[in-house]
Amino acid sequence: MAHVRADPVRGVPGGRPVEIACDESGSDGENLTSGNTDVFAHASVRLPVEFAAHSVQVIRDRIRSPAEEYKANHLLREKHRAVLEWLLDTDGPLYGHAHVHLTEKPFFVVDRMVDLLVGETGTTAVTLYREGRNAFGDERWRAFLESSNRLLRVRDNGEAGAPVDAFFHMVGALSWAYSDDRSGNGLGDILAALLAARSRADAYRARIAETPAMYPVLNPLLPAIVRTAAHWSGGGRPVSLVHDRQNMLTEERIAWLKETARLAGLRLVAARSDPRVQLADFLAGIARKIASDERGGRGDARLTTLLRPYVDPYSVWGDDRSWAVLGPVPEVATGRRTW
């Protein structure tokens, strides 16, 4: 592929904010356990507009699809494999200038639930997630994940106390079934701690009923943006984000993000209007598919290897087998949260 490789990113003189273009893939709102995808990916790119536009045109010239707007699925087709590998490889336009934050959705649910009820952000969620499925069986594990998801989600069309009742009924059943286990994996103690936290769950649901949540605890977009800002602001550089339009990013939440992530700015654009955001869109969709395949045991070793340099070591990921090949620094990143 004809492409002149040069370093398109230079220092920002005078301390002006560096502008980062972002997009996501895999958003299912607050439905993280039975949605269309099991992985959420947030990608960010630091490139000049002209360089990004040239890169998008190179992709269009190689793929030659009549579609007005290209998406990641164009690149993921087997007949365009060479274009996909070029985009991610060391001689492509993104290498060294892009970043991907991954969220494994089922683990995110467990992590958020444990944080709410137990207030422990260390190994408890990781232990519950990694040991629970084998200990409880697939059917009970799925039911537990779904009850956890319903407990945390802001919108629920049932009776006010139904999510709490359903969750603690599920935990009680698991605790009873697991009461005689002597494996020493800590699950019994975790279940006991959850059962003792009914008052915290009731208080959480009461807060949701009283006021609309400005920050839905189950939506992975906001923490991913916070982590993205932290990545690009290394060394104290001021960062401004250009993000694809999202209903989630209301004026109130943008204000919260600016304060929390110390952003110099955050503006929303249509992806088609900014080639940098288009490249971020490509990368997010590609990363989501590669990571999901790896998580499901269908991984492509070559593509996983190509993606690995882009992956944030502080991604929200609980599955140790897939993270061993996706994560750049497994001993640091395993089970870590990003905020």
Side-chain angles (χ1 to χ4, degrees):
M1 178 175 299
H3 179 76
V4 177
R5 177 70 182 172
D7 186 354
V9 178
R10 300 170 185 265
V12 181
R16 290 183 299 163
V18 57
E19 195 165 67
I20 307 299
C22 309
D23 205 350
E24 55 79 23
S25 179
S27 178
D28 287 313
E30 291 185 286
N31 183 15
L32 273 66
T33 56
S34 57
N36 297 318
T37 61
D38 57 2
V39 172
F40 175 85
H42 186 265
S44 52
V45 172
R46 182 188 177 189
L47 289 170
V49 174
E50 298 80 4
F51 187 89
H54 169 71
S55 301
V56 171
Q57 189 58 52
V58 170
I59 292 170
R60 296 185 68 94
D61 290 344
R62 286 295 302 267
I63 290 180
R64 297 189 179 278
S65 167
E68 290 187 13
E69 182 177 10
Y70 278 35
K71 305 294 286 185
N73 61 357
H74 288 91
L75 288 146
L76 288 166
R77 294 169 186 167
E78 186 59 35
K79 62 181 178 180
H80 301 313
R81 174 68 176 244
V83 187
L84 172 60
E85 293 193 10
W86 164 78
L87 181 68
L88 297 177
D89 214 342
T90 54
D91 63 345
L94 297 181
Y95 192 83
H97 309 300
H99 171 261
V100 179
H101 179 79
L102 297 174
T103 300
E104 184 186 11
K105 292 182 181 181
F107 175 66
F108 188 70
V109 171
V110 173
D111 181 68
R112 296 288 73 221
M113 178 272 295
V114 168
D115 187 50
L116 172 70
L117 298 183
V118 182
E120 201 275 339
T121 58
T123 61
T124 299
V126 175
T127 299
L128 177 57
Y129 186 74
R130 292 182 179 173
E131 302 290 341
R133 182 172 180 174
N134 289 334
F136 307 146
D138 288 346
E139 185 175 350
R140 284 183 171 179
W141 180 244
R142 284 194 299 270
F144 173 71
L145 289 176
E146 289 170 5
S147 67
S148 300
N149 196 141
R150 188 181 175 194
L151 173 70
L152 296 176
R153 68 184 303 163
V154 172
R155 295 181 181 180
D156 192 89
N157 297 325
E159 298 179 8
V164 178
D165 291 339
F167 175 79
F168 282 95
H169 176 77
M170 185 74 236
V171 175
L174 292 176
S175 182
W176 181 84
Y178 202 68
S179 59
D180 293 331
D181 184 83
R182 303 181 188 279
S183 63
N185 57 20
L187 281 179
D189 291 339
I190 294 173
L191 291 171
L194 294 177
L195 279 175
R198 172 85 190 219
S199 61
R200 289 193 177 194
D202 286 330
Y204 171 74
R205 297 304 308 181
R207 291 195 301 271
I208 290 175
E210 290 171 2
T211 56
M214 190 280 290
Y215 177 19
V217 69
L218 277 181
N219 197 304
L221 176 60
L222 297 187
I225 292 176
V226 171
R227 175 56 204 164
T228 295
H231 169 79
W232 291 107
S233 63
R237 293 171 299 194
V239 170
S240 180
L241 301 185
V242 181
H243 206 291
D244 185 30
R245 290 174 181 167
Q246 298 287 336
N247 292 334
M248 176 71 180
L249 295 178
T250 62
E251 291 183 6
E252 294 79 8
R253 290 170 184 151
I254 288 175
W256 179 87
L257 282 167
K258 286 181 178 179
E259 180 179 357
T260 302
R262 299 181 180 179
L263 290 170
L266 196 165
R267 61 188 177 92
L268 305 181
V269 301
R272 292 178 61 182
S273 70
D274 191 317
R276 301 170 302 173
V277 177
Q278 290 182 57
L279 288 177
D281 179 42
F282 294 161
L283 181 57
I286 290 165
R288 182 197 60 75
K289 178 65 164 60
I290 294 173
S292 180
D293 284 349
E294 195 62 60
R295 178 181 183 271
R298 309 177 302 275
D300 182 309
R302 170 63 174 159
L303 294 182
T304 300
T305 299
L306 288 174
L307 177 65
R308 194 170 192 179
Y310 298 92
V311 175
D312 185 353
Y314 295 96
S315 293
V316 185
W317 203 270
D319 180 63
D320 52 346
R321 182 201 57 79
S322 55
W323 188 247
V325 291
L326 283 168
V329 190
E331 67 274 15
V332 172
T334 301
R336 293 285 298 271
R337 296 198 303 133
T338 64
W339 67 98

